[in-house]
Amino acid sequence: MAPQRFHEQFDHIQRSMPGTALAMGPDDAGHFLYERGVVLARDGEEARIVEDTVRAHFTATAGLVPDHVRRDGPHTNRTGVTRIRIGDPAGGDDVVPHALRALREAEGRHGRRLVSRNHVVHIAVNACPGDEPVPVARGRRANPAVAADRYGAQGADGRGGRVGVLVIDTGLVHDHAAYPPLAHTTGDVQPAETDAEGVLRQYVGHGTFIAGILAAVAPHTEVTVRNTLSDAGAILESEFGARLFEAVDGGGWPDIISLSAGTTTEGITDGLIGLDAFMAELREQRTLLVAAAGNNSSHAPFWPAAYAGVPAYADSVLSVGALSADGACEACFSNHGPWVRVFAPGERLTSALTGFDTPVPYVYQHSTYEACRYDYDYACTCQFPRHTGALSESRESTGAKPHQVVFDGLAQWSGTSFATPVVAGLVAAHMTAYGERDPRAARDALLAAATGSAEVRGAHVPVLRPPTWRPAAVVDPAVPV
């Protein structure tokens, strides 16, 4: 039996949110996660329309209970979104699909979407990265390797002032400063890195790995990491906008935001209601949001990266897909489509994880597949290095023992999560090299000068490769127990 990654990770995320009942959508198909018994609407008149329409529909429809329909939280807030409770999340069938259908006529009259699920925004593949980290022996160098810092503290224009990159992810591990490229990286420290047995928790180090890539590609950069996604790498859409505002309020709007999380939706083409206010403010800033395209091997828009394909936001957002380990084509897991603006190396990259001071054990959570789960014919990370995972084994019960490894610094990892800081770093490095103050202009100049391309599903797409990146071979065929 093949591992069921989405279902395995659904169970894991649900355990991390014990007070929130989650569901898989649409209709349990396993394309995205959302909160049961709750919908989102914009504050004010639209929230009133949604509340009244759902209550009237539930009153008139046998089997639906209108008593639970109420606004859940303040009527107005900075994010501009209202949670509306429409059912008992612990009782019976989920009523969210009924509420969405009830609003279709009103949405037709208003000419725009009025209601949405409360999606779970998560670190990207079917709710998990392209694979899990693999230990790299000490003495091996990072990939991309650390670029030479040619400009020192003053930058190319001699005026000083480092380019600022804000990473929205998990927090920094406690020993990140023991890795020299991260010695001056600042931000939130990841709480509870290990479990009661001292084993590294899933996703811990994800933000540190990203910061390590940024520090390698653009060493003359001020990197700040915010611990926004500490709960199994996931957060509700209704909370995400507020956490994004919180992140930029702390130190002001940065030059670049690197974001390696998101969600797919059901047929939505204009973005997430929960991010309306944040995206509107981003558009008025000069900040560039560099966002991961997601790891579902799908053309379905993955938000917020897919804002790059929405004309009103295209100038503010750069969406990033991942290349395979040899850089010749897209990685098997990478999302694709016209909304993905650029591809960069994202399979088997090497960066900082944890264990620099004291080695840390890790137990794999997801088993590898016998063949690529997306039907690609190269030696992808679906298959190698082979290991048995605890979450997979809990569902399959094959009797196999989950594999355990030990990290003592660097790791190899894959996902559009990591192609994203490659591109964010290249934009930052271009700003430093040319004294450019506008990250969106730097993005345009980089893409205009890009000579590389790759064929992705029959289309030639622009590619950005750091000069210090090198193709990666398949590592050890099996991970030792």
Side-chain angles (χ1 to χ4, degrees), residues 7 10 50 119-120 159 198 222 240 259 287 371 417 431 453 464 466:
H7 292 81
F10 171 81
V50 170
H119 299 93
V120 175
R159 292 183 292 174
E222 186 176 290
F240 191 41
L259 175 62
T287 299
S417 280
M431 293 176 69
S453 68
L464 294 175

Side-chain angles (χ1 to χ4, degrees), residues 3-13 15 127-129 131-133 195 199-204 232 361-369 385 387-396 400-405 407 413 479:
Q4 300 295 314
R5 286 276 182 101
F6 190 90
H7 292 81
E8 293 163 12
Q9 203 61 15
F10 171 81
D11 294 341
H12 181 56
I13 291 174
R15 284 193 296 272
C128 54
D131 66 351
E132 292 176 82
D195 63 18
V199 176
L200 191 70
R201 295 178 184 274
Q202 191 177 19
Y203 296 128
V204 169
Y362 177 73
V363 175
Y364 281 99
Q365 300 299 302
H366 303 286
S367 299
T368 46
Y369 293 72
H387 54 261
T388 298
L391 293 177
S392 301
E393 183 58 23
S394 68
R395 295 181 64 89
E396 298 173 31
K401 179 183 178 182
H403 286 73
Q404 178 173 305
V405 292
F407 289 105
W413 213 344
V479 174

Side-chain angles (χ1 to χ4, degrees), residues 110-380:
H110 284 77
R112 76 173 190 161
R113 189 162 49 96
L114 300 176
V115 66
S116 169
R117 288 178 168 88
N118 191 14
H119 299 93
V120 175
V121 177
H122 51 76
I123 291 173
V125 156
N126 285 336
C128 54
D131 66 351
E132 292 176 82
V134 177
V136 169
R138 286 199 175 188
R140 294 262 301 272
R141 65 174 185 168
N143 186 24
V146 179
D149 184 357
R150 295 176 289 166
Y151 304 107
Q154 294 301 311
D157 59 3
R159 292 183 292 174
R162 291 175 178 266
V163 175
V165 180
L166 176 64
V167 176
I168 304 294
D169 209 87
T170 64
L172 292 163
V173 295
H174 74 281
D175 59 349
H176 71 276
Y179 180 56
L182 292 181
H184 302 292
T185 298
T186 61
D188 303 329
V189 175
Q190 170 76 44
E193 295 179 15
T194 58
D195 63 18
E197 284 73 46
V199 176
L200 191 70
R201 295 178 184 274
Q202 191 177 19
Y203 296 128
V204 169
H206 193 267
T208 304
F209 195 95
I210 287 169
I213 293 172
L214 279 163
V217 176
H220 183 68
T221 301
E222 186 176 290
V223 178
T224 303
V225 179
R226 289 291 167 231
N227 183 41
T228 304
L229 301 166
S230 60
D231 294 333
I235 189 171
L236 289 171
E237 179 183 338
S238 57
E239 301 170 5
F240 191 41
R243 295 298 301 275
L244 289 173
F245 275 127
E246 193 177 293
V248 297
D249 286 347
W253 285 85
D255 296 300
I256 300 165
I257 296 174
S258 180
L259 175 62
S260 295
T263 180
T264 53
T265 59
E266 184 180 15
I268 291 175
T269 59
D270 58 349
L272 302 177
I273 284 179
L275 294 188
D276 271 2
F278 180 82
M279 293 304 299
E281 192 161 331
L282 170 72
R283 188 173 53 194
E284 300 308 312
Q285 303 291 331
R286 65 179 185 87
T287 299
L288 176 67
L289 172 62
V290 184
N295 303 325
N296 304 305
S297 192
S298 168
H299 63 81
F302 186 82
W303 305 94
Y307 280 103
V310 179
Y313 300 101
D315 189 49
S316 331
V317 182
L318 179 58
S319 48
V320 184
L323 294 174
S324 58
D326 62 5
C329 64
E330 80 273 22
C332 69
F333 52 77
S334 182
N335 286 348
H336 49 272
W339 56 273
V340 183
R341 295 299 188 223
V342 68
F343 280 72
E347 187 173 46
R348 298 195 176 102
L349 301 186
T350 300
S351 181
L353 190 72
T354 190
F356 292 99
D357 292 341
T358 303
V360 182
Y362 177 73
V363 175
Y364 281 99
Q365 300 299 302
H366 303 286
S367 299
T368 46
Y369 293 72
E370 290 300 317
C372 176
R373 57 188 152 150
Y374 303 120
D375 297 323
Y376 281 64
D377 60 2
Y378 74 95
C380 63

Side-chain angles (χ1 to χ4, degrees), residues 19-67:
T20 302
L22 302 179
M24 294 182 289
D27 303 321
D28 290 326
H31 295 301
F32 53 81
L33 308 179
Y34 67 97
E35 184 181 11
R36 290 170 57 95
V38 169
V39 293
L40 301 184
R42 297 176 188 88
D43 287 348
E45 179 64 13
E46 290 190 12
R48 185 195 63 76
I49 291 171
V50 170
E51 184 180 9
D52 291 349
T53 302
V54 172
R55 184 180 291 110
H57 178 75
F58 281 22
T59 300
T61 305
L64 298 178
V65 181
D67 298 350

